[in-house]
Amino acid sequence: MRQIPVDTSGAIAMVAKSPQVKVRDRRTGEIATDIETGAKLMTVDVMFAANGEVEILSITVPEPGISGELSMGTPVALTGLIARPWENDFNGQKRHGIAFRAVAVTSLADVAARPEAA
């Protein structure tokens, strides 16, 4: 499946909703895991501002890739962010969208709070 790298260098990203466990099957409560590592997957909603526009992106990230306190409003760095188009049929209706995944979501609050060296 096609993966499109997302350039985050000119963007501002902040946590909109704290990390939540990603559920693979809501009927059974099965937790989603990374196919390659077996790590539990989490979803972090992030306010992504770039090019004069703001969107809320729901980003999937392996649990070990979440670092720092990620509460609402925390500025974050998004490492290895990709966009992946998807399409499926559900009850006879075609649905499509873009899924976002990152290697890591890292709090920048500690960096911003550090005093500047004189």
Side-chain angles (χ1 to χ4, degrees):
M1 183 175 284
R2 182 176 28 169
Q3 296 182 16
I4 304 163
V6 178
D7 179 13
T8 61
S9 61
I12 296 171
M14 286 190 215
V15 175
K17 185 177 179 185
S18 297
Q20 306 289 316
V21 173
K22 183 171 181 152
V23 177
R24 179 179 178 166
D25 187 332
R26 292 182 189 186
R27 289 174 285 139
T28 65
E30 180 184 359
I31 303 299
T33 57
D34 185 279
I35 294 170
E36 294 175 9
T37 66
K40 184 182 346 178
L41 293 176
M42 306 294 285
T43 302
V44 182
D45 289 352
V46 173
M47 183 217 52
F48 189 84
N51 303 320
E53 299 199 14
V54 177
E55 292 188 50
I56 301 294
L57 304 181
S58 187
I59 301 172
T60 299
V61 61
E63 188 174 40
I66 294 176
S67 62
E69 179 65 32
L70 299 184
S71 57
M72 185 183 296
T74 303
V76 291
L78 305 172
T79 304
L81 183 63
I82 58 148
R84 180 183 297 173
W86 61 268
E87 180 177 287
N88 65 24
D89 285 314
F90 185 73
N91 290 335
Q93 293 184 340
K94 276 205 182 279
R95 298 175 49 192
H96 63 276
I98 300 173
F100 293 93
R101 179 145 177 176
V103 172
V105 177
T106 307
S107 171
L108 296 177
D110 293 339
V111 174
R114 280 189 221 149
E116 293 292 321

